[in-house]
């Protein structure tokens, strides 16, 4: 299938022939000084972790997505797709769940059939559903996929996708809380590296905080920090984290005023740091 896709995509015959030989009938042999093992079969295709794996998987799945879009268009399904290596996402938009749920069911069925024809397996137990709505009183309905061999998908309060956390109203409070807590945990773990009497110098602590903690706390901040977005609650969480980091850097008391100790630790307020990164 892969060689047919490569040939259909217009790749050179020499490249297609290379992968035709590369993917089948392979063997490997291990050596250690003068010792040589016997040849072992290694006919496993493109193994996970290979440098070629993400490239070839994208080429392989691209045709599948193209066929899905064609079938969805024929059936008048207003469903779009996103894909990151082996993580696929079906997106349906509408004012009522009566429109989006049937479209998602039909789209999921099409993808499942296409994957089977491509020799791939869809892991139904890893499938998830999540609804976004501006209306706080909106429900969070389930999606019944039992008719096509899957299970009933029950939405969670928060949805994690590729390291990002989403809530139903896209406020990103849970997302910021997760990464500010992760950064704060890192700061607390760094306490073993020094205190007010021994260990790392304050300058070294400040450099460590800027290099290792701030990137964690501000990871993906452009999702929620932009002009017009309500950011007071999110920035407050990050400010609390930086206050505790400044206490550790200087070795001062917990009751020390925030602005003064951050200035002494050579840390600009976190909201100003976010503005600087956003430029």
């Amino acid at each position: 299938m892969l060689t047919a896709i490569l040939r259909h995509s217009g790749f050179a015959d020499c490249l297609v022939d290379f992968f035709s030989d590369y993917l089948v009938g392979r063997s490997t042999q291990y050596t250690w000084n003068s010792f040589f093992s016997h040849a072992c079969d290694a006919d496993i295709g493109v193994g996970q972790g290979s440098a070629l794996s993400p490239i070839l998987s994208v080429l392989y799945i691209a045709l599948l997505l193209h066929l899905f879009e064609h079938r969805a268009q024929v059936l008048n399904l207003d469903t779009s797709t996103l894909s990151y290596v082996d993580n696929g996402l079906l997106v349906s938009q509408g004012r009522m769940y009566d429109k989006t749920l049937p479209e998602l069911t039909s789209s999921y069925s099409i993808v499942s059939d296409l994957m089977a024809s491509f020799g791939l397996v869809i892991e139904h137990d890893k499938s998830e559903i999540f609804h976004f709505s501006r209306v706080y009183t909106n429900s969070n309905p389930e999606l019944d996929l039992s008719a096509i061999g899957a299970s009933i998908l029950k939405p969670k309060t928060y949805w994690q996708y590729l390291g990002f956390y989403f809530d139903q109203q896209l406020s990103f409070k849970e997302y910021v809380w997760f990464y500010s807590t992760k950064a704060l945990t890192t700061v607390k773990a760094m306490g073993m590296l020094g205190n007010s009497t021994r260990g790392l110098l304050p300058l070294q602590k400040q450099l460590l905080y800027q290099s290792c903690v701030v990137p964690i706390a501000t990871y993906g901040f452009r999702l929620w920090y932009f002009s017009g977005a309500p950011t007071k609650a999110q920035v407050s969480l990050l400010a609390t984290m930086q206050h505790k980091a400044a206490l550790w850097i200087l070795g001062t008391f917990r009751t020390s005023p925030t602005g003064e100790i951050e200035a002494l630790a050579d840390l600009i307020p976190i909201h100003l740091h976010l503005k600087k990164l956003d430029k």
Side-chain angles (χ1 to χ4, degrees), residues 108 112 121-129 145 148-154 156:
Y108 192 94
S112 182
V121 177
I122 184 169
E123 297 178 293
H124 299 298
D125 58 331
K126 292 186 178 180
S127 299
E128 297 178 326
I129 185 172
L145 298 175
I148 57 176
S151 57
I152 299 176
L153 303 183
K154 298 180 179 180
K156 299 179 180 179

Side-chain angles (χ1 to χ4, degrees), residues 49-94:
S50 168
L52 292 171
S53 180
I55 299 172
L56 294 179
S57 63
V58 167
L59 293 172
Y60 197 96
I61 295 175
L63 181 59
L64 187 151
L65 297 179
H66 176 72
L67 292 174
F68 167 78
E69 291 177 357
H70 175 70
R71 294 190 183 183
Q73 186 177 8
V74 171
L75 297 174
N76 292 322
L77 297 177
D78 187 19
T79 307
S80 57
T81 58
L82 295 173
S83 178
Y84 182 80
V85 190
D86 61 346
N87 286 279
L89 186 64
L90 295 172
V91 182
S92 179
Q93 302 181 57

Side-chain angles (χ1 to χ4, degrees), residues 13-26:
D13 291 339
C14 59
L15 185 64
V16 177
D17 293 339
F18 167 77
F19 282 108
S20 179
D21 294 334
Y22 176 78
L23 296 173
V24 295
R26 295 169 56 194

Side-chain angles (χ1 to χ4, degrees), residues 25 41-42 44 85 100-101 127 141 143 151 155 157 161 164 175 193 203 233 237 248 259 276:
D41 292 334
I44 57 172
V85 190
T100 58
L101 292 178
S127 299
L143 181 63
S151 57
T157 307
Y161 184 68
F164 300 100
Y175 174 72
L193 300 178
L203 181 62
L237 289 171
W248 168 68
K276 182 181 71 173

Side-chain angles (χ1 to χ4, degrees), residues 29-57:
Q29 191 175 29
Y30 298 95
T31 64
W32 182 266
N33 295 330
S34 59
F35 169 77
F36 291 86
S37 71
H38 63 279
C40 305
D41 292 334
D43 190 8
I44 57 172
V46 182
Q48 186 174 4
S50 168
L52 292 171
S53 180
I55 299 172
L56 294 179
S57 63

